[in-house]
Amino acid sequence: MGNKKFIFTIFFCSGFLSLFAQNHKIDSIKSLLKNHKEDTDKVKLLNDLCLLYKDIDPSQGLKYAKQSIALGEKWSFKRGVATAYGRVGLIDKQIGNYPEALKSYFEALKIKQEIRDKKGCANTYNNIGLVYDEQGNYPEALKVLFSSLKIKEETGDTEGLVSAYNNIGMIYNHQGNFSDALKNYFTSLKINEKLGDKKGAADVYDNIGGVYKGQGNYPEALKNYFMGLKIYDKDGNQEGIATSYENIGIIYKLQEKYPEALKNYFISIEIFKKIHDKHKIAASYNNIGNVYEAEKDYTEALKNYLLLQKIEKEIGEKYGIAVSYNNIGTIYIDISNYQEALKNEYISLKLFKEIENKDGISASYINIGEIYRKKGMPKEALGFLTKGLDSAQKIKEVEWIKKAYSNLADLYEKMNDTKNALKYFKLFHEIKDSLFTAEKNKKITEMYMQYISDKQQDSLRYVFKKQQDSIKAEQDKVNAVKEKESQTQLVIRNLLIGGISITFLAASIFFFQRRRIKKEKKRSDRLLLNILPAEVAEELKEKDNVEAKDFDEVTVMFTDFKGFTSISDRLAAKELVSELDYCFKGFDNIIGKYEIEKIKTIGDSYMLAGGLPVKNKTHAKDVVNVAIKIVEFMKARNEQNIKEGKPVFEIRIGINTGPVVAGIVGVKKFAYDIWGHTVNLASRMQSNGEVGRINISPSTYELVKNDFTCSYRGRIFVKNIGAVDMYFVG
């Protein structure tokens, strides 16, 4: 505890001293300005003041920069005016006002070209490229960044080359062009090592980690992030340390190691708070919110997204505000509150359009399309998803293209447009697979070999040789099969030549066998359909396996008998099994009248789901109707048991709606099953319910509240999940 307090004190003091020093500089410059005559020196002082205000009060910074422009033009001090325009562009970019930032940077570039300031032109091209990157306009970003690189090569600006290659690598990474991204990052790293710039090298390690993250190569990503952290830690670079922890947290989040992710994010945000970096604090709240959203803890996720929004509004950064509305919208999508989701996504879209952020525009269009799809409004959904896909394709934003394809496949499936559903389903899997094509891996490996030791290269070559040997062995097997097929064909030809009588005999045997096989097939099909849904059974017969499938919205129900253990102690085994059999057969008969799938029984628990394997819109209503009929069935059964002096089975029922993964587990005695948080919460709804009552979650309530009378129970703590709103039906 003592060490932690000491570190906190150091951070606090360093941040406080830094702020004190900055305020002292501001006061000094203001004092000089007050008594200074109007000349070129005053232009420089105003520019310095603008830069000092950039982070603490951007509006004041803009005010001083504009004063500098006016005075510089009066004194024909072009260099000072260009600097001021550059400062205005810097602040507008910082607050997310990208169109205005571009205007200012182009004004600065025009002046620097007039006065033939090559270095200044290169830096301005670089700044323009970074704005285009923020807008998601990657082709334009690359165009101006290559212009910057060219000038830096011509002028021999070695330090400038580092940032040029770094930024070009960043754009390629954002486009999903991992090979070219790594090529530029490694070039930047080489130059950094020659210059002995440790901080620069650490920054590049972070960027290389980002590429491996994009590839899904998390071990390599972590390795590079930790290399960067080691350098930052040695140099005492607090911002770098915090950024490394943030990046490490992102990897753990992607690996679904949520406790580890949060642990790193919390370290990161504490450092950012101590160095007063509001932008990074906001980003940390965003990351923390992402983890809670992944954990389905929507309350905590929303809380962090609102904190993100609050800070972004304080600093006036439109991009961050737009992101916050977008994220809040996704939370409401998750909990099926489509009205609030649309409200937030439309605000997000408006803001992204204002700052011309193409990446954000694509995201908002696709999210809005997804909401309309889930609301069962195909015309509106198609319009927004098509716009989003078009926007994402223009900037080659792979993740959004992938999401658009997925939504369009689902939408066309619901519209019974099989042709288009299949088209987008194939496109979705093609783009998913294309991220890891052999060609890209080959290019990355070839380039990577230039930067590793001879010993590492030998090791890799050994691995490649083993792979090639394996491929050759597989090919030999294929050739052997082909040769065997040729021999078989020769035998068949000889048999045909053998005479018609043999052919008739073979035909007789064939038809006899076929009739027998057909009979056995009917029997096996009947048995198969008794344990698997029809669609799943067909897939199993066709492919010998069943692929796991994601379902966006399924309603899951659990039943359980209170005090079953004590009852089982009082009944003979045969009587107990007979009673359970009677009850479960009754449940089977009830669900047979609805589009409901019985999943399994576990002891005295009965589990079912609506909305799979064939998706439908009535799953929640159907499941609640089944629950009501099961309660009535058990009430009648218990009345009969009381008359006969038998024990009664008091039933509890819990229902929840949400996404699940469904598939077959095992190869022997296989069973169709479902997994996910939705299933866990449904089970918890049952265990937190009451005898003879149907306990439903908020997501189910939103879908059935207009069809059934429901009463709010309040927020009830659920083990391993947290507080959950609960409702009784009836």
Side-chain angles (χ1 to χ4, degrees):
M1 182 63 75
N3 287 336
K4 286 183 181 177
K5 191 176 282 189
F6 173 74
I7 292 167
F8 174 86
T9 307
I10 294 294
F11 287 153
F12 178 81
C13 289
S14 62
F16 177 78
L17 290 171
S18 173
L19 197 63
F20 177 80
Q22 195 171 22
N23 287 333
H24 181 69
K25 284 181 185 177
I26 288 170
D27 291 340
S28 299
I29 293 173
K30 280 184 176 179
S31 177
L32 286 169
L33 278 171
K34 198 173 183 180
N35 303 309
H36 209 286
K37 62 181 181 178
E38 283 195 354
D39 60 10
T40 55
D41 284 341
K42 192 167 185 177
V43 174
K44 292 176 184 176
L45 288 170
L46 287 166
N47 280 336
D48 289 343
L49 204 54
C50 162
L51 198 60
L52 287 167
Y53 269 111
K54 179 178 75 74
D55 291 317
I56 60 174
D57 190 346
S59 60
Q60 281 291 100
L62 286 172
K63 185 183 89 173
Y64 287 118
K66 286 171 183 176
Q67 285 179 14
S68 176
I69 290 168
L71 188 59
E73 286 175 342
K74 181 180 176 180
W75 283 88
S76 300
F77 181 31
K78 289 187 176 182
R79 190 176 294 276
V81 173
T83 301
Y85 272 121
R87 299 276 159 87
V88 172
L90 186 66
I91 293 173
D92 276 326
K93 174 185 174 289
Q94 177 182 297
I95 63 176
N97 196 353
Y98 303 134
E100 288 301 314
L102 284 173
K103 281 181 190 176
S104 296
Y105 280 140
F106 277 116
E107 284 292 335
L109 180 64
K110 182 182 172 184
I111 297 168
K112 286 175 181 179
Q113 286 171 335
E114 285 175 11
I115 62 176
R116 300 187 179 184
D117 178 6
K118 283 194 171 184
K119 188 174 180 180
C121 286
N123 290 335
T124 307
Y125 275 129
N126 182 71
N127 291 334
I128 292 168
L130 294 178
V131 177
Y132 280 133
D133 174 52
E134 293 283 359
Q135 288 185 310
N137 191 347
Y138 305 132
E140 284 299 315
L142 282 173
K143 184 178 170 183
V144 293
L145 286 171
F146 275 117
S147 295
S148 176
L149 177 64
K150 186 181 177 184
I151 295 170
K152 287 173 180 178
E153 285 174 337
E154 288 171 356
T155 57
D157 181 5
T158 310
E159 289 184 11
L161 286 173
V162 171
S163 64
Y165 281 116
N166 214 28
N167 290 335
I168 290 168
M170 177 179 67
I171 305 299
Y172 280 130
N173 188 34
H174 290 167
Q175 284 185 316
N177 185 346
F178 303 130
S179 174
D180 283 333
L182 282 175
K183 181 180 176 182
N184 281 274
Y185 283 148
F186 280 126
T187 303
S188 176
L189 185 61
K190 260 188 166 183
I191 299 169
N192 265 309
E193 287 171 348
K194 283 180 184 177
L195 293 171
D197 181 4
K198 289 183 179 178
K199 183 194 177 295
D203 292 342
V204 180
Y205 279 126
D206 272 356
N207 291 334
I208 292 169
V211 177
Y212 286 122
K213 178 191 77 177
Q215 289 179 295
N217 188 345
Y218 302 139
E220 279 299 315
L222 280 174
K223 175 183 166 186
N224 280 275
Y225 286 145
F226 278 118
M227 286 170 79
L229 177 60
K230 186 178 177 182
I231 296 170
Y232 290 134
D233 195 41
K234 195 172 181 180
D235 289 354
N237 184 324
Q238 298 306 317
E239 183 182 359
I241 292 168
T243 302
S244 292
Y245 278 118
E246 184 178 44
N247 288 332
I248 291 164
I250 290 169
I251 298 298
Y252 284 131
K253 189 257 178 185
L254 290 168
Q255 290 179 314
E256 297 183 5
K257 297 178 180 178
Y258 301 132
E260 284 299 313
L262 285 174
K263 178 181 164 186
N264 281 274
Y265 286 152
F266 288 139
I267 294 171
S268 174
I269 197 171
E270 283 306 309
I271 299 173
F272 286 137
K273 283 178 180 177
K274 273 120 192 161
I275 60 176
H276 306 287
D277 191 333
K278 283 191 173 183
H279 297 280
K280 292 293 180 69
I281 294 168
S284 294
Y285 280 128
N286 182 62
N287 289 331
I288 293 166
N290 290 165
V291 175
Y292 283 125
E293 185 174 2
E295 288 189 302
K296 314 293 184 191
D297 189 342
Y298 301 127
T299 305
E300 282 300 315
L302 190 59
K303 175 182 163 185
N304 279 275
Y305 289 151
L306 288 169
L307 286 167
L308 157 69
Q309 190 173 93
K310 183 185 175 186
I311 294 174
E312 298 292 18
K313 283 182 176 179
E314 282 174 6
I315 58 182
E317 185 172 337
K318 281 188 180 180
Y319 174 75
I321 298 167
V323 168
S324 70
Y325 276 113
N326 190 277
N327 288 348
I328 291 166
T330 63
I331 293 293
Y332 285 118
I333 293 173
D334 290 333
I335 62 174
S336 304
N337 187 341
Y338 301 133
Q339 186 177 346
E340 282 298 314
L342 278 176
K343 176 181 159 188
N344 281 275
E345 290 296 344
Y346 271 119
I347 295 171
S348 174
L349 178 61
K350 181 175 178 285
L351 289 168
F352 280 133
K353 282 183 174 179
E354 284 177 9
I355 61 176
E356 298 176 13
N357 183 284
K358 293 180 181 178
D359 185 34
I361 291 168
S362 304
S364 296
Y365 273 139
I366 292 165
N367 284 343
I368 292 169
E370 182 179 4
I371 296 165
Y372 281 127
R373 177 180 69 77
K374 290 186 173 182
K375 279 170 68 72
M377 299 170 70
K379 185 180 176 183
E380 292 82 356
L382 188 58
F384 279 98
L385 288 171
T386 305
K387 283 181 182 178
L389 176 59
D390 182 57
S391 176
Q393 284 174 329
K394 283 177 181 173
I395 59 173
K396 298 180 181 177
E397 178 47 71
V398 179
E399 283 303 315
W400 291 119
I401 294 170
K402 193 167 70 172
K403 186 172 181 181
Y405 284 155
S406 175
N407 272 283
L408 284 165
D410 284 347
L411 178 64
Y412 280 118
E413 185 185 354
K414 285 183 180 177
M415 293 167 69
N416 296 317
D417 186 342
T418 310
K419 185 180 176 183
N420 274 313
L422 186 60
K423 171 189 167 184
Y424 285 106
F425 179 77
K426 284 181 177 178
L427 285 169
F428 169 74
H429 281 281
E430 280 171 12
I431 198 169
K432 190 178 176 185
D433 296 340
S434 70
L435 294 174
F436 302 96
T437 59
E439 184 59 32
K440 280 190 177 180
N441 285 337
K442 182 183 174 187
K443 285 180 181 177
I444 290 168
T445 303
E446 286 172 354
M447 179 271 302
Y448 180 59
M449 294 283 275
Q450 299 171 22
Y451 300 94
I452 60 177
S453 68
D454 292 339
K455 188 175 179 182
Q456 289 172 312
Q457 287 189 33
D458 290 340
S459 177
L460 280 175
R461 287 192 186 99
Y462 172 76
V463 173
F464 295 154
K465 186 178 183 303
K466 294 287 282 183
Q467 289 175 340
Q468 291 301 314
D469 290 345
S470 176
I471 291 166
K472 186 177 181 299
E474 287 299 319
Q475 189 60 49
D476 288 343
K477 284 181 186 177
V478 172
N479 293 338
V481 170
K482 284 182 179 178
E483 188 179 343
K484 191 174 180 181
E485 285 173 353
S486 298
Q487 290 172 354
T488 304
Q489 287 169 359
L490 183 64
V491 171
I492 291 168
R493 189 185 67 184
N494 291 336
L495 282 171
L496 288 171
I497 294 168
I500 295 170
S501 60
I502 296 174
T503 304
F504 281 148
L505 179 61
S508 300
I509 294 168
F510 169 74
F511 285 117
F512 174 76
Q513 287 290 85
R514 191 174 70 171
R515 280 197 299 271
R516 201 179 80 175
I517 290 167
K518 194 173 181 181
K519 186 179 177 182
E520 288 299 320
K521 184 177 180 296
K522 280 184 179 178
R523 185 167 175 265
S524 65
D525 283 351
R526 191 167 60 250
L527 290 169
L528 195 60
L529 288 171
N530 197 36
I531 57 173
L532 295 176
E535 294 77 7
V536 176
E538 282 303 314
E539 186 178 350
L540 184 65
K541 286 188 289 181
E542 285 177 20
K543 302 179 183 177
D544 288 332
N545 66 78
V546 176
E547 291 182 9
K549 291 181 182 176
D550 291 310
F551 290 85
D552 292 335
E553 195 175 74
V554 168
T555 299
V556 182
M557 182 180 108
F558 278 89
T559 75
D560 189 73
F561 295 124
K562 183 185 176 185
F564 179 77
T565 305
S566 61
I567 294 171
S568 64
D569 289 339
R570 303 199 306 271
L571 285 176
K574 190 175 179 180
E575 288 179 292
L576 182 68
V577 172
S578 176
E579 185 63 23
L580 273 179
D581 181 55
Y582 180 88
C583 293
F584 287 166
K585 277 181 180 175
F587 297 177
D588 290 345
N589 291 332
I590 292 168
I591 71 169
K593 298 170 186 174
Y594 296 88
E595 291 184 24
I596 300 292
E597 193 64 42
K598 177 182 177 180
I599 304 299
K600 59 186 172 184
T601 58
I602 313 158
D604 64 318
S605 179
Y606 187 101
M607 178 185 175
L608 59 83
L612 57 73
V614 178
K615 298 175 184 178
N616 64 62
K617 296 177 184 177
T618 61
H619 54 85
K621 185 179 175 181
D622 291 344
V623 170
V624 172
N625 271 321
V626 165
I628 291 168
K629 285 181 168 53
I630 285 176
V631 169
E632 290 170 355
F633 171 84
M634 287 307 302
K635 185 178 178 183
R637 179 61 177 169
N638 285 334
E639 285 174 0
Q640 185 182 339
N641 281 344
I642 289 168
K643 287 178 185 177
E644 295 175 6
K646 295 179 181 178
V648 296
F649 283 2
E650 296 179 309
I651 196 167
R652 286 190 305 247
I653 297 178
I655 302 174
N656 179 40
T657 303
V660 301
V661 176
I664 285 180
V665 290
V667 291
K668 291 183 179 180
K669 295 184 180 179
F670 46 72
Y672 184 69
D673 208 345
I674 57 176
W675 302 270
H677 175 76
T678 300
V679 178
N680 297 335
L681 185 53
S683 177
R684 294 284 187 268
M685 297 306 292
Q686 175 274 122
S687 58
N688 285 275
E690 292 180 8
V691 168
R693 305 299 298 270
I694 302 162
N695 192 30
I696 64 173
S697 69
S699 55
T700 306
Y701 170 75
E702 287 298 325
L703 295 173
V704 302
K705 63 184 179 183
N706 296 325
D707 299 301
F708 303 95
T709 303
C710 301
S711 55
Y712 180 55
R713 297 182 62 198
R715 288 175 67 77
I716 295 171
F717 182 80
V718 176
K719 186 181 178 183
N720 296 330
I721 293 176
V724 178
D725 290 316
M726 295 188 190
Y727 302 81
F728 278 141
V729 176

